[in-house]
Amino acid sequence: MTRIGNIFISSILIVLFIAYNSLSAQTSITAEFSDKRIGVGEIFTLSVTINNSSGRVIMPDIDGFVLRGTSQSRNMMYSSGTFKSIQTYNFTYIANKEGTYKIDNIRVKVNNNTYVANPVEIEVLSSPVRSRDDDRTPDGNKFEEFMDYGEDIYVDNNINKKEVYLYEPIYIEQKAYSHIPVNVLGFSKIPVRTDFLSYSDSSEYNSFTEIIDGKRVSVIPLKKEALYPMKSGIKDILTTPFVFEKEGMFYDRVEYGEEDFTVNVLPLPDKTGFDNFSGAVGDFNFNVKVNKTNVAVGEEMLITMEVVGEGNTSIINMPNINDDVTNYFSVYQPKTYETNWFDGNRIIGKKIKEYVLVAKDEGESIISNISFCYFSPNDKSYTNIYSSAFNLTVSGIKQNFNSFVNNDNEELNVIPIKNTIIKEDKEFRVFNINIIYFYIIILIAVSIIIYNSKKISNLKLLFNNSNKNNDSSIENIKKYYADNNRKEYCKSIENILINKIKDKFNIYDNNTLYEKLNDYIGSQKADEIKNIIDKCNFELYSGESYNNEDYHTKAIEIIKYIDKLKIKNK
């Protein structure tokens, strides 16, 4: 009985292994830059697409590129009777050094295999190659006040149009600008989008530095949103409010970003003469493809219609094929697929309609010119796009293209295997005897660590305190001040004050540190400490300094004052 069970399990494992290899053989990896040339300080995207599988992308560190954020999408596509998976990872970068960059070590982990993508290349120039609209700088009195340090944080809400046609996309982009280090905790509420279809791309809030009018500020992308008005008339749009937490010794939470815009949504012009209008508003390309034009009776063929462009594809009515093909083909119910993604500051949509036809009678048939009608807001007119016509031939003899026949006279499809695997990882077996030994060693090590945790904690505390004392010693601080090294000077001042407070009063929760500090030394001394640390943070993150101002004299007085205090139950 046991032997039969082992044979049965082994058979299942062999079948799974064969199925796995069959899927892996179809996997291909493609890498592509959004631009061939880019300027220093401009944003661009590196996309890695995994066809017929899913995996994990391993990107190399690229000297000269700063990662702004990542996103991913996954689509399923039905083709020739099978489903195909397409997974795309988008890495958004900003270039800070000119030169020609060739990336040839992008790797993707798929199951136990590692794949390598095709090499990609981009040229970074010293001056911008895009128009200023692609990477705009805010303007207005509020932003000028922010740049003059009237505010620590400013959120720019940019809307591309305030008068649009029905179904035309409206783009809203939100960015935060800051003089000080902040954390974005998220949005405080979701705006109501009545009468709109909404697509949004929320950032991972990765900040980067930008020089504006000779001043250095931190920029944090917050959100991109595309709104499609579904009703005409005057509409109000409220932007998303975000919650920020100012970093430093004392955490302060504030809210910015809510702003009200009014837009005028125009109805579409009269459609007389364009009865085939699809509902598409924007700029689109239309294409029709067939996978074969010569088939035998009983053989299937695939007709694919594809619409791609900037606009809302969800409301598009895809055209139909002509009815007379039913004289020679059985036509199955078509399947429709749709996907949308942000490409820079635009949202692109793709809609696919697929027909599967099976030949039933010999003869000649035609897929006539299929038309797709859309409205262009830029041209303010309707446009028809016509596909090419296809002549189809149905014969009574079974065609045999790239196939083999097995012993049962069943046709087997041949799948070309791409040689993209560069390394195969060793299989990990949970009950391998070596792994069991490894588990035992880990258990013993964990037991020893738990038993000696107190000693280890004390040793770690001693080590950390030693490092802190070395990093923030008074001698080093005075040396940094004499050398006018403001960056290390401010960091050391902040470290020595915070470490002294934590060591003296056993306060380790930054969220309650200021409140508890008031209980020990009073609000006046606490305010003096906060004032010094805030000035240090300002210098560190704004690049400005107070004429080599002396912070350490006051800091030393405070430290001496704290040392003299007697704390009960310490």
Side-chain angles (χ1 to χ4, degrees), residues 305-322:
M305 302 179 191
E306 182 179 87
V307 174
V308 180
E310 182 183 8
N312 184 11
T313 56
S314 64
I315 62 173
I316 291 177
N317 294 315
M318 298 290 282
N320 301 316
I321 60 175
N322 46 293

Side-chain angles (χ1 to χ4, degrees), residues 230-297:
M230 305 304 291
K231 293 183 180 180
S232 58
I234 303 298
K235 306 294 178 183
D236 290 326
I237 298 175
L238 199 66
T239 59
T240 303
F242 287 85
V243 178
F244 300 84
E245 186 176 68
K246 299 180 181 180
E247 292 185 7
M249 180 178 171
F250 309 106
Y251 288 87
D252 184 17
R253 294 184 178 180
V254 292
E255 183 179 296
Y256 292 93
E258 189 174 68
E259 187 174 354
D260 191 19
F261 292 101
T262 300
V263 297
N264 182 23
V265 182
L266 304 173
L268 294 176
D270 181 62
K271 295 185 284 291
T272 302
F274 296 95
D275 296 334
N276 64 327
F277 174 58
S278 64
V281 176
D283 293 300
F284 298 91
N285 292 318
F286 176 66
N287 188 31
V288 177
K289 297 180 290 185
V290 296
N291 65 334
K292 58 184 77 173
T293 57
N294 293 282
V295 293
V297 173

Side-chain angles (χ1 to χ4, degrees), residues 143-424:
F143 185 71
E144 290 180 3
E145 291 176 5
F146 162 78
M147 291 302 295
D148 291 335
Y149 303 100
E151 292 282 346
D152 291 331
I153 303 170
Y154 174 83
V155 172
D156 177 57
N157 301 309
N158 178 48
I159 186 169
N160 70 322
K161 291 183 178 181
K162 294 186 178 179
E163 184 173 87
V164 295
Y165 281 100
L166 194 66
Y167 312 135
E168 181 184 357
I170 301 169
Y171 295 114
I172 299 175
E173 184 176 13
Q174 295 181 268
K175 288 183 181 179
Y177 295 80
S178 174
H179 293 303
I180 61 174
V182 297
N183 293 320
V184 183
L185 301 183
F187 45 82
S188 59
K189 66 179 179 181
I190 302 175
V192 177
R193 295 300 185 222
T194 305
D195 299 335
F196 292 92
L197 283 179
S198 174
Y199 294 90
S200 62
D201 180 18
S202 295
S203 169
E204 294 186 358
Y205 312 134
N206 293 320
S207 64
F208 64 97
T209 301
E210 188 171 308
I211 305 299
I212 301 176
D213 296 333
K215 298 177 181 179
R216 185 174 64 177
V217 297
S218 294
V219 184
I220 309 173
L222 298 174
K223 185 178 182 181
K224 292 179 183 177
E225 190 171 11
L227 300 178
Y228 296 96
M230 305 304 291
K231 293 183 180 180
S232 58
I234 303 298
K235 306 294 178 183
D236 290 326
I237 298 175
L238 199 66
T239 59
T240 303
F242 287 85
V243 178
F244 300 84
E245 186 176 68
K246 299 180 181 180
E247 292 185 7
M249 180 178 171
F250 309 106
Y251 288 87
D252 184 17
R253 294 184 178 180
V254 292
E255 183 179 296
Y256 292 93
E258 189 174 68
E259 187 174 354
D260 191 19
F261 292 101
T262 300
V263 297
N264 182 23
V265 182
L266 304 173
L268 294 176
D270 181 62
K271 295 185 284 291
T272 302
F274 296 95
D275 296 334
N276 64 327
F277 174 58
S278 64
V281 176
D283 293 300
F284 298 91
N285 292 318
F286 176 66
N287 188 31
V288 177
K289 297 180 290 185
V290 296
N291 65 334
K292 58 184 77 173
T293 57
N294 293 282
V295 293
V297 173
E299 191 176 0
E300 73 172 34
M301 66 176 298
L302 184 71
I303 299 175
T304 304
M305 302 179 191
E306 182 179 87
V307 174
V308 180
E310 182 183 8
N312 184 11
T313 56
S314 64
I315 62 173
I316 291 177
N317 294 315
M318 298 290 282
N320 301 316
I321 60 175
N322 46 293
D323 293 334
D324 56 359
V325 297
T326 57
N327 295 331
Y328 300 95
F329 294 90
S330 296
V331 181
Y332 288 88
Q333 186 70 25
K335 292 182 172 59
T336 304
Y337 309 93
E338 178 191 353
T339 183
N340 297 273
W341 68 93
F342 275 93
D343 182 11
N345 293 327
R346 304 185 309 153
I347 189 168
I348 303 299
K350 178 189 288 187
K351 197 162 191 174
I352 295 173
K353 186 177 184 180
E354 290 187 338
Y355 283 93
V356 176
L357 283 63
V358 177
K360 62 181 182 179
D361 289 312
E362 296 182 56
E364 302 284 337
S365 182
I366 297 177
I367 300 293
S368 60
N369 303 93
I370 301 174
S371 64
F372 174 77
C373 181
Y374 69 94
F375 177 77
S376 172
N378 294 329
D379 299 333
K380 298 180 174 57
S381 63
Y382 294 91
T383 300
N384 265 313
I385 304 176
Y386 293 91
S387 69
S388 301
F390 297 95
N391 295 315
L392 308 179
T393 302
V394 181
S395 65
I397 303 173
K398 184 71 173 178
Q399 305 293 319
N400 184 20
F401 299 107
N402 295 328
S403 63
F404 292 114
V405 178
N406 64 9
N407 295 332
D408 297 326
N409 291 324
E410 293 180 352
E411 196 171 78
L412 303 176
N413 291 328
V414 177
I415 302 174
I417 299 177
K418 295 187 177 182
N419 186 24
T420 54
I421 299 179
I422 62 168
K423 184 188 70 173
E424 185 171 346

Side-chain angles (χ1 to χ4, degrees), residues 114-131:
T114 301
Y115 294 76
V116 63
N118 56 286
V120 290
E121 187 173 298
I122 190 170
E123 184 180 5
V124 179
L125 305 178
S126 58
S127 57
V129 299
R130 292 177 178 159
S131 63

Side-chain angles (χ1 to χ4, degrees), residues 32-195:
E32 183 179 15
F33 276 117
S34 59
D35 302 81
K36 293 183 179 179
R37 287 184 175 181
I38 204 71
V40 170
E42 293 184 318
I43 300 172
F44 59 96
T45 302
L46 175 56
S47 299
V48 180
T49 301
I50 309 171
N51 291 300
N52 301 325
S53 190
S54 61
R56 179 171 61 90
V57 179
I58 304 171
M59 287 294 300
D61 292 331
I62 307 170
D63 182 28
F65 291 0
V66 178
L67 183 64
R68 284 278 305 273
T70 61
S71 63
Q72 61 173 298
S73 62
R74 179 179 296 177
N75 300 310
M76 294 295 293
M77 196 170 290
Y78 183 84
S79 179
S80 300
T82 60
F83 281 96
K84 297 179 180 179
S85 169
I86 301 175
Q87 186 176 25
T88 302
Y89 290 84
N90 297 306
F91 299 84
T92 303
Y93 291 99
I94 185 168
N96 58 16
K97 188 189 300 182
E98 60 181 301
T100 300
Y101 296 83
K102 184 177 181 180
I103 317 301
D104 57 4
N105 55 344
I106 302 171
R107 306 191 180 211
V108 178
K109 296 278 290 185
V110 179
N111 297 321
N112 289 328
N113 294 324
T114 301
Y115 294 76
V116 63
N118 56 286
V120 290
E121 187 173 298
I122 190 170
E123 184 180 5
V124 179
L125 305 178
S126 58
S127 57
V129 299
R130 292 177 178 159
S131 63
R132 191 60 189 166
D133 292 338
D134 291 333
D135 196 13
R136 58 180 294 276
T137 298
D139 53 18
N141 294 332
K142 289 186 176 180
F143 185 71
E144 290 180 3
E145 291 176 5
F146 162 78
M147 291 302 295
D148 291 335
Y149 303 100
E151 292 282 346
D152 291 331
I153 303 170
Y154 174 83
V155 172
D156 177 57
N157 301 309
N158 178 48
I159 186 169
N160 70 322
K161 291 183 178 181
K162 294 186 178 179
E163 184 173 87
V164 295
Y165 281 100
L166 194 66
Y167 312 135
E168 181 184 357
I170 301 169
Y171 295 114
I172 299 175
E173 184 176 13
Q174 295 181 268
K175 288 183 181 179
Y177 295 80
S178 174
H179 293 303
I180 61 174
V182 297
N183 293 320
V184 183
L185 301 183
F187 45 82
S188 59
K189 66 179 179 181
I190 302 175
V192 177
R193 295 300 185 222
T194 305
D195 299 335

